[in-house]
Amino acid sequence: MKPRDLLYTARDVLREMLRFDAAADAVLARLFRARPQLGKADRQVLADTLYQVLRHLRLFQTLAASDESIGGAMELRLAILGWSGNAQSLHAALSPEQLEWRKRLLAQDAMALPEAVRWSLPEWLAVALQAHYGAEYAALAQSLLRPAPLDLRVNVHKARREAVLDVFARLGLPARVTPYSPWGIRLEGKPALQDLTVFREGWVEVQDEGSQLLAVLLAPRRGEMVVDFCAGAGGKTLALGAMMRSTGRLYAFDVADYRLAKLKPRLLRSGLSNVYPVAIAHERDERVKRLAGKMDRVLVDAPCSGLGTLRRNPDMKWRQKPEDISELTTKQANILQSAATLLKPGGRLVYATCSILPEENSGIVNAFLSAHPDFERIPADAVLRQQGVEGENLVTQGDLQLLPNRHATDGFYAAVLQRRPASSSGG
């Protein structure tokens, strides 16, 4: 497609995306299905442009509204400001007037603008982050504007990390180990993973390093009974199954059949035989009740605002509202309550979210512990050290707290809870 046509395609897709009634990646997937003639390079420019606009939406809207000299719809001006093709395609896509307008606006000193505009945050979220993170707020807000790296998890059931790194070196793909996860590899660029044998054969899975550390905290052992309570498409389920060396029983619960369906091809690639996907109607489902008191370990990666993943999903900050957070915290508390009934005395539960808001994180855990004296908090850094991960700088007030500005991961929170052994229950 000609760059000029690609620009106007971006304008049209933005009209749909900015209604925020569907996830940005779903809108993009629909576009690509409807236009199979789009080549790989065109798709990349479109995706990069649209995500650049979503990341910087409030700033770009402010700039575009300040100078309407080129005319055209707001969506077109946003696409011009966010254009992410190379210099040649930029000049082919824009008229001389549009080029000059873009250059003039992007050269403005954004420091004169309010912080929430400069860092493209909705007002309610800027206030919440500033209140909780204080002096770190600026660094965190800026880090959320940068695209995330491509992290992989090596499937230890099939391969060693050194062997996978050797493969990437032979292929000329720059890769390095992640600083914290014992199975993580960080790739540079955006290689077509589905074309690589290491991916097709199940040696690696795409998984942010922070997400990998949730499995490290749960630390399931061979032969145990384990539940991934909100399994989704199963990224963490597969990490847990590999840690268990495909022994024991690992239940993958989720309320959405379509999410569990995405686990099936990944499970096939992984070579694991200990995973049992189970669709449940809700957290109080009879299939949950039948397993009460039988589990050694339970992971609760609770449904959340997803605000820790803004580097990958920048539309989340525009789609979430304060009232949504209130609804989510009620759901999170109910899920944690139900998941906790599964544990044996002495069993371990990890409660986690990919949120950076305390009300979804420590607020939920502290309220649960107050109401359940038969549970206690285990310091996350001690658990990480037991697993060979130096975790002091990963932990805040006893719980895992990962932030993109500190750790180059998505924003993750996790608390390690243990059901007290029967002899000390209630003590």
Side-chain angles (χ1 to χ4, degrees):
M1 184 179 280
K2 294 178 180 177
R4 186 78 175 166
D5 295 333
L6 214 53
L7 174 70
Y8 283 91
T9 299
R11 175 202 64 184
D12 295 343
V13 180
L14 274 172
R15 282 181 181 149
E16 184 177 356
M17 273 190 179
L18 297 184
R19 291 201 295 265
F20 298 117
D21 51 12
D25 58 355
V27 174
L28 205 54
R30 276 204 302 272
L31 168 73
F32 292 161
R33 283 196 300 271
R35 306 222 185 155
Q37 72 275 18
L38 283 171
K40 181 182 175 184
D42 288 345
R43 290 178 179 224
Q44 195 63 63
V45 169
L46 263 179
D48 289 348
T49 297
L50 294 167
Y51 275 76
Q52 180 76 346
V53 171
L54 290 171
R55 282 192 187 93
H56 298 275
L57 182 59
R58 193 172 179 189
L59 173 62
F60 285 178
Q61 285 174 330
T62 301
L63 293 176
S66 72
D67 184 343
E68 300 184 1
S69 59
I70 61 164
M74 173 61 82
E75 293 86 358
L76 176 61
R77 283 179 277 153
L78 293 174
I80 290 170
L81 289 172
W83 183 261
S84 298
N86 58 29
Q88 183 179 353
S89 74
L90 177 68
H91 283 77
L94 307 188
S95 68
E97 294 78 15
Q98 289 170 334
L99 277 168
E100 176 56 35
W101 179 85
R102 181 181 190 271
K103 182 180 178 182
R104 184 169 68 249
L105 263 63
L106 292 180
Q108 288 186 22
D109 182 10
M111 294 302 289
L113 297 170
E115 286 181 339
V117 174
R118 192 159 72 231
W119 297 322
S120 282
L121 291 170
E123 205 63 39
W124 72 269
L125 182 56
V127 169
L129 294 181
Q130 188 163 30
H132 184 60
Y133 291 99
E136 195 173 9
Y137 163 61
L140 174 59
Q142 291 174 72
S143 72
L144 293 170
L145 292 171
R146 292 190 281 272
L150 176 58
D151 287 356
L152 306 177
R153 176 186 55 80
V154 174
N155 176 6
V156 295
H157 183 57
K158 282 194 167 184
R160 293 180 303 107
R161 183 159 63 171
E162 294 75 14
V164 176
L165 287 169
D166 285 346
V167 171
F168 288 143
R170 289 199 301 273
L171 293 172
L173 295 174
R176 63 185 187 278
V177 299
T178 51
Y180 309 112
S181 168
W183 323 297
I185 290 176
R186 187 157 291 161
L187 274 179
E188 290 184 23
K190 298 175 182 176
L193 284 178
Q194 65 274 13
D195 296 336
L196 301 181
T197 302
V198 287
F199 179 78
R200 291 199 306 268
E201 293 296 319
W203 285 26
V204 295
E205 274 285 342
V206 177
Q207 188 176 14
D208 183 78
E209 183 183 22
S211 178
Q212 296 177 38
L213 289 178
L214 302 186
V216 174
L217 284 177
L218 195 67
R221 302 184 180 120
R222 293 172 185 257
E224 288 189 328
M225 298 272 282
V226 180
V227 167
D228 184 353
F229 202 81
C230 307
K236 286 172 282 295
T237 307
L238 298 175
L240 296 172
M243 288 184 81
M244 296 164 72
R245 302 295 180 182
S246 201
T247 65
R249 290 178 76 85
L250 172 54
Y251 295 96
F253 287 172
D254 205 273
V255 295
D257 280 324
Y258 72 90
R259 283 197 289 261
L260 286 176
K262 294 178 181 177
L263 168 59
K264 290 179 181 176
R266 303 174 78 185
L267 185 54
L268 194 63
R269 280 200 308 271
S270 74
L272 298 173
S273 58
N274 64 335
V275 177
Y276 299 86
V278 181
I280 56 175
H282 44 71
E283 70 271 11
R284 301 174 311 282
D285 192 294
E286 277 301 318
R287 281 162 288 196
V288 176
K289 291 179 180 178
R290 283 200 293 268
L291 294 173
K294 297 179 180 177
M295 295 296 118
D296 297 290
R297 318 251 167 175
V298 177
L299 173 63
V300 180
D301 183 15
C304 70
S305 63
L307 294 171
T309 69
L310 292 183
R311 302 180 308 163
R312 302 174 197 280
N313 306 300
D315 55 313
M316 295 297 289
K317 60 185 170 183
W318 311 116
R319 293 172 59 213
Q320 297 285 9
K321 301 290 185 290
E323 55 270 26
D324 299 329
I325 307 303
S326 179
E327 288 180 19
L328 280 166
T329 55
T330 300
K331 182 184 293 186
Q332 290 156 356
N334 290 338
I335 288 173
L336 177 53
Q337 166 93 16
S338 291
T341 64
L342 294 169
L343 274 187
K344 296 175 180 176
R348 176 180 294 179
L349 184 149
V350 170
Y351 172 85
T353 76
C354 52
S355 173
I356 48 179
L357 297 179
E359 54 265 48
E360 297 187 79
N361 297 335
S362 56
I364 298 294
V365 171
N366 292 340
F368 174 82
L369 289 172
S370 294
H372 295 82
D374 55 330
F375 277 81
E376 60 183 334
R377 183 188 250 114
I378 306 297
D381 52 340
V383 177
L384 291 170
R385 276 197 302 274
Q386 288 167 4
Q387 298 299 311
V389 176
E390 287 305 315
E392 285 81 359
N393 71 326
L394 306 177
V395 173
T396 301
Q397 296 180 337
D399 298 336
L400 183 78
Q401 177 68 81
L402 301 174
L403 296 171
N405 57 298
R406 288 187 207 166
H407 310 109
T409 66
D410 286 345
F412 274 100
Y413 167 88
V416 184
L417 309 180
Q418 179 175 293
R419 188 168 212 158
R420 298 180 194 272
S423 59
S424 62
S425 181

